[in-house]
Amino acid sequence: MSEIDYLLRPVGRVESPLTDAARAPKQGDEGAPDAWLVFEPEFAPAVRDLRPGTDVLVLTWFDRASRDVLTVHPRGDASRPETGVFATRSPHRPNPVGLHRVRLLSVDGLRIRVADLEALDGTPVLDVKPVLGGPHER
């Protein structure tokens, strides 16, 4: 396989009280506090139609993750068998892209308050996509 470089440019960042990966929930529905997605001003047109009460998928870049990990003990539990990282939700992986389903709680300009986001404070946001309820939505 040839080596190709891809450039990903964050559209914003996470503001969260979560600062320590070891103490953060493993998944958003495991007690993650409300957090904010804060977008760069140049992306204001992309944010304008997001509405409270909707669910979206947020893609993040786990910038503090190890990129050389290929196998893990699921959920960090050494009693569980080592598993290929692509069969887990581990943040440590060759391309540490995070995928989070969150509920939009409020929108304040370029700041969107969300529920169920387990990403750490400062995590780069790569993209936001709506959760589709039907086969032909947007």
Side-chain angles (χ1 to χ4, degrees):
M1 184 186 273
S2 67
E3 191 70 26
I4 298 174
D5 290 329
Y6 294 94
L7 177 64
L8 296 174
R9 204 170 95 216
V11 296
R13 71 185 183 291
V14 173
E15 283 186 1
S16 171
L18 298 175
T19 58
D20 179 6
R23 298 177 57 128
K26 302 253 187 236
Q27 298 298 316
D29 63 356
E30 296 177 350
D34 291 353
W36 291 89
L37 305 178
V38 181
F39 294 89
E40 297 298 328
E42 66 191 283
F43 298 106
V47 173
R48 76 173 184 216
D49 296 311
L50 294 175
R51 301 283 180 257
T54 59
D55 287 358
V56 297
L57 298 173
V58 178
L59 285 87
T60 60
W61 186 262
F62 289 137
D63 56 322
R64 287 156 268 193
S66 298
R67 296 190 66 189
D68 59 351
V69 174
L70 301 179
T71 61
V72 295
H73 293 281
R75 300 184 67 82
D77 181 351
S79 70
R80 296 175 74 177
E82 201 167 80
T83 303
V85 74
F86 295 156
T88 76
R89 301 267 308 173
S90 172
H92 306 290
R93 52 199 324 112
N95 289 305
V97 174
L99 177 65
H100 319 267
R101 183 177 179 150
V102 301
R103 166 84 28 134
L104 303 184
L105 299 174
S106 64
V107 177
D108 182 14
L110 295 174
R111 295 173 51 83
I112 298 178
R113 190 167 59 98
V114 300
D116 298 332
L117 180 60
E118 78 282 10
L120 299 178
D121 186 59
T123 298
V125 174
L126 299 177
D127 205 352
V128 175
K129 296 180 180 270
V131 172
L132 300 180
H136 301 293
E137 291 185 32
R138 293 180 209 200

